[in-house]
Amino acid sequence: MSSFIVIIGDGLLADRVYEELSARCHVFRRSDFEYGIPGNADLMLVLHDSWDPRAHQQAEEVIKQTGSPWLRGFVSFGEGVIGPLVRPNTPGCSQCGDLRRLLGGQERSEMQQVRQKLAATEHRSIDPWASKTGLLQMANVIVAETERILAEKQAYSEGRMFLTDLKTLNGSWHSFLPDSLCPVCSQIPDDSPELARISLEPSRKISEGSYRCTPLSDLKTVLTDDYLDNRTGLFNSKMYDLITPFADASVNLPMMSGDEGTAGRTQCYGDSELTAILEGLERHCGLEPRGKRTVVHDSYRNLEGQALHPLKVGVHADEQYEKPGFPFQKFDPDTPIDWVWGYSLTEERPVLVPELLAYYSLGCGSAGFVYETSNGCALGGSREEAIFYGIMEVVERDSFLLTWYAKLNLPRLHPQKAGDEELQLMVERMQAVAGYDLYLYNATMENGIPSVWALAKNRKDHGLNIICAAGAHLDPVRAAKSAVQELAGMMLNLDDKLEGNKEKYEQMLKDPSLVRQMDDHGMLYGLPQAEERLSFLLENNDPMRSFQEEFKRRTTHDDLTDDLKDILEEFHRHGLEVIVVDQTTPETRRNGLYCVKVLIPGMLPMTFGHHLTRLKGLDRVLIVPAKLGYVAEPLTFEQLNHDPHPFP
């Protein structure tokens, strides 16, 4: 039986495709959707010599009525676009394709405005770059792809678009991911307490001594094929940093508001690239709810019995809220806000969490009461793995800030006595290539999870003088390596920035209110004049300690979930609750990757911008130093260190 095709559109592209296909199939053609189309077509083609977003939106509505798959072809500013193939009730529609294509361009905001303007008008003019030769080439690709689709072969246009430069006729296929928030094809469910429930499942480690359940090598193909494409990918570029001491790589996450770079740091560039993509996926998941649709909007007063009080995770000081121009307002328990469902692993019950605490790009606006960053966000090859590393990050930042605010005189660790050759080689390379000496300190707090404060001191007379970082892990050597990698990421490539803006950073030294951006914190302590602020660490003349002397040996498990259960039991003993918000999205779930946000009420959250410090409600910073024996009695807020922290 002959296939039945519907062609919508006029112009040379539609004419040429009609001529080719009408000789082989039964073709029904109309210039637009005004008078309707048959509902039994094997395929619908929407073809124009220019960009007609209105017709594409109409096609998305028609597919819901007819159930026929459809494919588009059009010209936009000198570029021929074919695809994607859109199937009914399947994520990955034309609107998703447009979003990815626009985000991959340089003038994304302007192009989005053009798209909206074109969608609001019926008038179409032929694209001036739509040459006859270019349109004929596009027609050939469309006809060939149509034949593949009708023959039920794997369509090239399934989740991909063919982009042709009509000046050079160079063309290539580009894959893209469906937009989980697409208003046309999104299938994410409404948030609910049932979906928030977490039952810890076995998560076997990939090898002895590892704390991962999926080898990085197993993810290589899917990470690059699914997420990285220079024109339509979730990430659209990559870069290797050849200056820093170790193998640093970064990828770019394009957004309408701008570009966001995420970095990976390992001992080889290939692994660093994959790690950067994983970091980018974590960032993508944490920006806003993409896996579940937020549906709870109410006041804390009405939800008190089942909701987390924001004061438990720290808010800004009253005097900060009162300052003119402060971007947040004091929390009002009677003001309705958005809430998402999390799960308390400690109390084993669903709990509502303010959305602006669960996703770190939120918080501004009329209901914004606090600044939240990526604290506790982590990605893993299982949900248990993600929770484990989310806890590690919360602990890492809490230990760093407790040390800073209380000026704890931490025991210094001897890197050469860690019993790890790789760590020793990392230290030697840092000294030889970058000219920095490494200082490691045991910053483990009462929870017992090994935490390391790492400080690099420049031996040269130029460049950043001091760089600080932190790491936390059940394996203290891994914690140290993680911190050292973070240090190396700032070495050498920021020296010119310091020299070119030295006067600005010197002003910050005098006036901490000028420390407003994330980079300001690390750059400030690049000044030699700021070194005295770290004297509580640098002037520790006690003998260095080995890792074996400072860290207790732990029971090792073959299953990461058993490690996680040990941690939860220890936290429960110290009265610390662990709340998990599942941030996993369709974009990550397709490859078995899970993302979570871990909140541990009471622990100190990292903030950037000295005016956005969050300590109110966190008495932990006053009590723990005394509990650990660093001071004789609990501190007062007046005794705390009020200088901007040096976390980069």
Side-chain angles (χ1 to χ4, degrees), residues 400-459:
F400 186 96
L401 290 175
L402 267 170
T403 298
W404 178 255
Y405 289 128
K407 291 188 175 182
L408 302 183
N409 186 18
L410 301 176
R412 187 177 170 192
L413 300 166
H414 202 310
Q416 279 72 34
K417 293 184 178 181
D420 188 90
E421 184 180 8
E422 185 180 54
L423 177 60
Q424 185 171 338
L425 291 173
M426 291 170 71
V427 174
E428 292 174 0
R429 181 168 179 81
M430 183 181 291
Q431 292 173 334
V433 174
Y436 281 85
D437 289 326
L438 178 68
Y439 296 73
L440 298 178
Y441 300 91
N442 180 7
T444 305
M445 297 301 154
E446 89 291 2
N447 53 71
I449 294 180
S451 301
V452 174
W453 177 308
L455 183 153
K457 177 73 173 66
N458 200 343
R459 293 185 296 173

Side-chain angles (χ1 to χ4, degrees), residues 230-430:
N230 65 319
R231 290 297 312 277
T232 58
L234 193 62
F235 309 105
N236 64 357
S237 68
K238 65 180 180 181
M239 181 178 70
Y240 291 166
D241 187 339
L242 304 178
I243 298 177
T244 56
F246 306 122
D248 283 20
S250 62
V251 296
N252 179 60
L253 171 62
M255 299 178 292
M256 281 299 176
S257 58
D259 292 326
E260 181 83 12
T262 59
R265 300 183 176 100
T266 67
Q267 305 304 334
C268 69
Y269 287 106
D271 286 351
S272 294
E273 179 186 328
L274 300 180
T275 304
I277 294 174
L278 292 170
E279 288 287 331
L281 289 173
E282 176 190 306
R283 184 70 52 87
H284 176 73
C285 292
L287 287 170
E288 59 182 319
R290 296 178 185 273
K292 293 175 284 188
R293 189 175 290 102
T294 301
V295 293
V296 179
H297 182 80
D298 208 337
S299 68
Y300 174 78
R301 190 84 66 194
N302 292 336
L303 303 171
E304 189 168 355
Q306 52 187 334
L308 171 70
H309 196 295
L311 199 63
K312 291 185 177 181
V313 292
V315 295
H316 309 297
D318 290 348
E319 54 268 26
Q320 291 299 112
Y321 288 109
E322 294 166 2
K323 289 184 177 180
F326 192 68
F328 304 99
Q329 297 182 9
K330 200 170 181 179
F331 176 69
D332 180 359
D334 294 310
T335 298
I337 60 173
D338 289 331
W339 301 80
V340 298
W341 284 101
Y343 189 76
S344 172
L345 291 174
T346 311
E347 300 183 2
E348 297 184 340
R349 68 179 181 94
V351 58
L352 283 167
V353 176
E355 187 184 67
L356 56 83
L357 285 174
Y359 295 88
Y360 60 95
S361 70
L362 304 174
C364 294
S366 59
F369 58 84
V370 74
Y371 166 62
E372 178 65 11
T373 64
S374 60
N375 295 302
C377 289
L379 191 80
S382 69
R383 188 161 54 179
E384 291 72 22
E385 182 184 323
I387 294 171
F388 175 87
Y389 281 97
I391 291 173
M392 293 303 111
E393 188 185 72
V394 174
V395 169
E396 165 197 306
R397 296 182 171 197
D398 171 78
S399 299
F400 186 96
L401 290 175
L402 267 170
T403 298
W404 178 255
Y405 289 128
K407 291 188 175 182
L408 302 183
N409 186 18
L410 301 176
R412 187 177 170 192
L413 300 166
H414 202 310
Q416 279 72 34
K417 293 184 178 181
D420 188 90
E421 184 180 8
E422 185 180 54
L423 177 60
Q424 185 171 338
L425 291 173
M426 291 170 71
V427 174
E428 292 174 0
R429 181 168 179 81
M430 183 181 291

Side-chain angles (χ1 to χ4, degrees), residues 3 77 185 201 288 298 337 400 435 518 537 608:
S3 299
F77 296 94
C185 67
E201 302 292 337
E288 59 182 319
D298 208 337
I337 60 173
F400 186 96
M518 179 186 293
L537 290 175
F608 299 102

Side-chain angles (χ1 to χ4, degrees), residues 518-532:
M518 179 186 293
D519 291 349
D520 293 343
H521 289 269
M523 299 301 296
L524 171 61
Y525 292 90
L527 294 172
Q529 306 94 298
E531 182 175 326
E532 62 178 4

Side-chain angles (χ1 to χ4, degrees), residues 213-224:
C213 64
T214 304
L216 191 60
S217 58
D218 288 359
L219 296 171
K220 181 177 181 179
T221 300
V222 297
L223 289 180
T224 53

Side-chain angles (χ1 to χ4, degrees), residues 111-259:
M111 288 298 291
Q112 177 72 336
Q113 293 173 9
V114 171
R115 178 190 179 198
Q116 293 169 349
K117 184 177 180 180
L118 290 174
T121 180
E122 297 183 17
H123 175 70
R124 293 191 309 271
S125 58
I126 298 177
D127 192 291
W129 289 278
S131 66
K132 182 177 181 180
T133 304
L135 291 173
L136 290 177
Q137 175 161 308
M138 288 181 63
N140 289 335
V141 175
I142 293 169
V143 169
E145 183 64 4
T146 297
E147 292 176 341
R148 290 186 64 85
I149 296 169
L150 296 177
E152 297 184 352
K153 296 180 180 179
Q154 180 61 47
Y156 294 130
S157 54
E158 196 98 47
R160 297 201 295 177
M161 291 181 289
F162 189 79
L163 305 180
T164 304
D165 184 336
L166 296 182
K167 298 176 183 177
T168 64
L169 299 186
N170 288 327
S172 55
W173 287 101
H174 296 268
S175 62
F176 71 94
L177 291 178
D179 175 21
S180 53
L181 298 180
C182 178
V184 174
C185 67
S186 173
Q187 297 180 351
I188 61 173
D190 288 346
D191 193 13
S192 69
E194 290 73 28
L195 289 176
R197 291 185 181 277
I198 295 174
S199 177
L200 297 178
E201 302 292 337
S203 185
R204 193 166 183 83
K205 299 175 181 177
I206 58 176
S207 62
E208 183 179 358
S210 171
Y211 287 82
R212 293 288 184 183
C213 64
T214 304
L216 191 60
S217 58
D218 288 359
L219 296 171
K220 181 177 181 179
T221 300
V222 297
L223 289 180
T224 53
D225 289 356
D226 282 4
Y227 304 112
L228 185 62
D229 186 282
N230 65 319
R231 290 297 312 277
T232 58
L234 193 62
F235 309 105
N236 64 357
S237 68
K238 65 180 180 181
M239 181 178 70
Y240 291 166
D241 187 339
L242 304 178
I243 298 177
T244 56
F246 306 122
D248 283 20
S250 62
V251 296
N252 179 60
L253 171 62
M255 299 178 292
M256 281 299 176
S257 58
D259 292 326

